[in-house]
Amino acid sequence: MDAKITSALPFLSFLLFLLCLSNHTVESRAPFACDAKNGLTRSFKFCRVNVPLHARVRDLIGRLTLQEKIRLLVNNAAAVPRLGIQGYEWWSEALHGVSNVGPGTKFGGAFPGATSFPQVITTAASFNESLWEEIGRVVSDEARAMYNGGMAGLTFWSPNVNVFRDPRWGRGQETPGEDPVVAGKYAASYVRGLQGNNGFRLKVAACCKHYTAYDLDNWNGMDRFHFNARVSKQDLEDTFNVPFKSCVVEGKVASVMCSYNQVNGKPTCADPYLLKNTIRGEWRLNGYIVSDCDSVGVLYENQHYTATPEEAAAATIRAGLDLDCGPFLAIHTENAVKGGLLNEEDVNMALANTITVQMRLGLFDGEPSAQPFGNLGPRDVCTPAHQQLALQAAHQGIVLLQNRGRTLPLSRTHRTVAVIGPNADVTVTMIGNYAGVACGYTTPLQGISRYAKTIHQSGCIDVACNGNQQFGMAEAAASQADATVLVMGLDQSIEAEFRDRQELLLPGYQQELISRVAMASRGPTILVLMSGGPVDVLFAKNDPRIGAILWAGYPGQAGGAAIADVLFGTANPGGKLPMTWYPQDYLAKVPMTDMGMRADPSRGYPGRTYRFYKGPVVFPFGHGMSYTTFAHTLVQAPQEVAVPFTSLHALQNTTSASNSIRVSHAKCEPLVLGVHIDVKNTGDMDGTHTLLVFSSPPQGKWSANKQLIGFEKVHLVAGSKKRVKIAIPVCKHLSVVDRFGIRRLPIGKHDLHIGDLKHSISLRANLEEIKS
C-alpha cells in the first residue's frame, strides 16, 4: 500500500467517527429511580437527597419484601416497579478503557467505540502514578457518557491488581506486574481516577479483583475452579494482599471481587476471615463485595464445599459477600432463609452495602442530566485529547531492552524499512484482553510508513508460526531495505483468560524467522516484541546481528504510532520492566501450583520475582534503557531513624529476641523519610527517567533480596538537572513480614539502592520517649 495513503488511514477513520457522532442524537436517560414526574416516588424517604444516606438506605430496604430483596443480590438485579426502581446490570468492565466484556456495556449508535489504552502491563511499565490516574479519569468520562446514553452501567469491575507471580499466567497482562508496591500504587491511582475526588459521590464505582492469591487459570490439568492455593501467612501479608489493602485503604475503592480459587482449603467467597474480618473489618471497605462470575455456584458444584446449594448461599452471605455475579443467590437464598441457615438481617446487610454504592453514584437522585457528569455524551468519547493520551501512554510504556552500538533511533537516512512478522500489521492484538471497540487503530506497519517507505512481509501466517514457507520472502525483503523491523511475540491465542502458557519461548518457528531475517538484513535489525508475559529471547539478546530489542506489551489503539515514534526517536523510551524475564529452564523448577514466594534451596526451589529469586534472568525487573544517559547524586537522606513506641505496654510486649519492633507497636504517622536526589540528563537528547528506590533489610534471618519502596518519574531536557524528593513511610516500606504474618521493623542497618547509589539508614528503638 502507498505510504501516504497508509499514514492517512487513522485520520480518515477519525473523521468517519466524528461524522458518525454528528448523525446520532442521544435522548436523556430516564431516571433509574425517584422520577420527579412520578407522584408516588416523591413521597419516599429514600428519594430525598437531603436525607442522610444511611437513612435513605434503611428506608428503601424496609419497603422491600424478602423476594424483592433476593432478586437484588445478583448482577442482573430485577426491577421493583411498585417502588419505581428499574432493573440494573452491575457487570461492566473498564480494565484499560470502556469494555464490552460483560452485559452491562454495549457499543453502537452514537457510541461506536471508546478510547482503548495500552494493556495494564504496558501502562505499568511507565511507573507513572499521575498517568495511571489520568487514564482512569478519561475512562470514567467515557463511561459516564455512555451511561448517560443508555449504553453502560456505572459499576465497573476493574482494575485487576493480582500480583504477576508466575510468568506463564495468561492473565498476567491484565495486572500491574510482579511487585506488590507497584501494584498497590497502580490500584490506588487508577481507582482515584475512575471514582473521582469527591469522597461521598462516585463518578463510577471501581472494583479491585481477584481477591486473593489468584493467579492460575488452566495449567497441566489444574484450573481456577478447582485450585486450592496453599499460601503461608507470610506470603499472604507480604505479597498477595498488599495491592488489595492499598486499593481499599488508599484508593477508597467501592468494591472488591473475591476469586474462584480456594485459599488454604476455603473458597475466598465463603471465607469470613478474608471478607468480613479483613476487607470490611481491618481495611474498612466502604462498599460492596462481589463474587467472580458463578463462583458461588463453583464452590458448591465444582469444589463441593457445601452439601446443599442453600448452605453455599448462606455461607457466602454470612462470610461477607454482598452480590453474586451469576444467578445462584437469586435461586437459593430464599430457601436458605426459610431453612434457618440465614437470617433476613444478613440479606439486609448485603443490600445495604450495594444500595449505598448505588446511591453514591446518584442512581436514586432522579433525573440523570441534572446530576454531576450529566452533561457528558458522545462528543466526550474518543476525543482527540483522549486519543493523544492513549498515544502518550504507549510511548511511556514501551521498554528499550537492548540497544547495541546505538542502533536506535533510526535516522531518516533509513529510507526503506522492511517490516516483518505476524504482529507487524495487527489491530486488535494491540489492545489485549478485556478491551472494547477502539476508536481506530494505527498498526506498526502504518506507523513506520509515516517515516519511511515500507516493504511488508508477515513471514508467518499468525503468531503460532507453524511453518516456514514464507521465510524466503521475508529474507528477500530484509535484503532490499535500509533497516529491518521484526514485529513478533504473542497474542490472545497464546496467553489469555483460562489459557496459561506452557513455555516462555517464542511460539513455533518465530525464533528461526528472526535469526534468518537478521542474517539476510542489509541494514540494522530491530526486534519488537508484543506480549503480556515475559519471553525468553536470549538467542536474540546474544545475536550480534540484532541491534536493538523493544518490548511494547500490548500497546493499545495507538500502539503502532508509538512504536514508530520510538524507533525513529520522536519519542525517547523511558519504560521499565514491571516483571522479571526468566529463562525457559526456570519453569522446570517452579510448578505453577506452588504458591511459595521465597526460595527453598533444600528442595531446589528458586523462589519467585526479583524479591526472592537470585538466579539468571533474560532481563531483570526494572530494566529499561534510554537514548540518553542519566546520573544520580544523593543530596539528603537521614542516617538514623528512632522508632517511637505507642506505649510502655507496647514496649514490654515487643519481642527483643527478634531484634525488631512490631509495626502495630510503633508510632508510624511521623515516621516518613525524605530522600532528596539530584538527577541529571548527561546525554544529548531530552528524556524521561524513572527513579527506582529499593531497600534491603539488615543481614540475618530477614530476606536478603531488595524490595522496591518508591519510584518517581522525572522529565529532563538534555544537560539539565532536577531535584527529586521521595517520601518513604518507614512502617510501610522498611518493614518485613515474619513467618507468622506479623509485620515488623527490623532494628539495624537498612540499605537504600538508587541506581548505582547506596545509602545506609540505621533504625533503632526510641526508648527515651517512653521513659519521659
Side-chain angles (χ1 to χ4, degrees), residues 159 173 339 399 474 610 697 758:
Q173 60 181 292
V399 181
Y610 79 94
K758 181 180 175 182

Side-chain angles (χ1 to χ4, degrees), residues 602-616:
S602 68
R603 60 187 180 96
Y605 186 73
R608 295 181 179 277
T609 77
Y610 79 94
R611 294 192 300 149
F612 305 109
Y613 169 69
K614 298 189 179 81

